[in-house]
Amino acid sequence: GWLQFTNLGLASGLQNALTEEVSVRNTAAQRELISTTVFALAAIGVTLLLFGIIGWQCVNWQTVFPPSTPQFKSEIAWAVAIAFVGFLSTQMLGFLGPVYAARQELHLSSILSVAVGAACLLGTLAAIHYQCGLVGLAAATVGGTSIVQLTFALWTIYGRGIPELRPSLHHCTMRAWRRVFTNGLPFFLLFGCNIVFYQADAMLIAHLLTAEQVTPYSVAQKCYLQLSGVFAIVTGSMWAAYGHAKAQGEIDWIRRTHKKIALSFIVMYLGLTVVMSVCGENILKWWVGNAAAPDPTLLCAVGLYLGIREWVALNAMLLNGLNCIKAQIPALMISACIALT
């Protein structure tokens, strides 16, 4: 999660540029953008792999991730290596989501997500059943994810009979690179803020308090993230939809649609926060046990924090679709500092 910024924002930069060309059916420009981004991500992935090989040997991973039992001491370094290779695979195939979004084919993104989730679940069950240890668990889940993603990528590029989706060195151009990089650079800065928003909280709790206290916090988070996940299905598709509507001058449709989504989010999220603050502790004690169940104060606090965070994400989708990226940077930097504090 912390290394996601290493793609320089190229995948997100591709989405906005590609959306514009899809809306005007410029297939030549589409192929240039896709080819340039695919090979740029591949080059970044190979570079990170070389640095990763060097860094992996120099770091004492038991110090970074202290094991709670001696059983895992010998497995931690290899589990990190597997996770890193899986991360590289995801980074290099990061063009898939933007391509689906730009082409208004987010149902394919949803199918990919379901397939990845199923692969992770089956891999987890198999690793536990056969007692494969930490390395086996990492290999089963990360390996399954990578295989599914690669399968979808090969089908998307070569199995659909769409020439503009097939990357080629011949179609890599400086014009496309400048366009994708210029669009992607503000996203690169936003990713740093997102790391604070989405990745720092559990790590801070584990280091400043105890690892055990991460559990009730995470349980509280999961309750609200279920609703956020439902909204993400809608808002994720709206990024590209706003971009298409902007290209076609449908400004009134953008205003009406975003207003409806925003009002729905406020009503449902406030309702969930009230219900979980009042009844959540007893429900969660039955589900996860007394030790892992968060108390009403924590449920209320996490609900308010995640509500603000998801409100930011909801409006960011609108601004991303309208290609208003730079204006978000100072606001999100301030928000990230407040969240970290």
Side-chain angles (χ1 to χ4, degrees), residues 186 189-190 192-193 196-197 328-339:
L189 299 174
L190 293 180
C193 300
V196 174
F197 276 129
Q328 299 182 56
I329 295 172
L332 278 184
M333 284 184 172
I334 294 170
S335 300
C337 291
I338 294 171

Side-chain angles (χ1 to χ4, degrees), residues 227-304:
L227 181 60
S228 301
V230 173
F231 267 91
I233 296 172
V234 178
T235 57
S237 63
M238 295 315 299
W239 178 344
Y242 291 142
H244 275 275
K246 179 189 174 185
Q248 295 169 8
E250 297 287 347
I251 306 303
D252 288 337
W253 179 87
I254 295 174
R255 287 199 182 102
R256 291 195 309 271
T257 303
H258 187 68
K259 184 178 180 180
K260 290 178 183 177
I261 294 174
L263 288 174
S264 300
F265 174 82
I266 291 171
V267 171
M268 294 182 69
Y269 216 96
L270 282 178
L272 178 63
T273 302
V274 171
V275 171
M276 292 306 299
S277 299
V278 175
C279 310
E281 183 180 20
N282 292 328
I283 296 172
L284 292 172
K285 280 182 178 179
W286 169 76
W287 180 249
V288 298
N290 291 339
D295 60 37
T297 305
L298 181 57
L299 282 165
C300 182
V302 170
L304 292 174

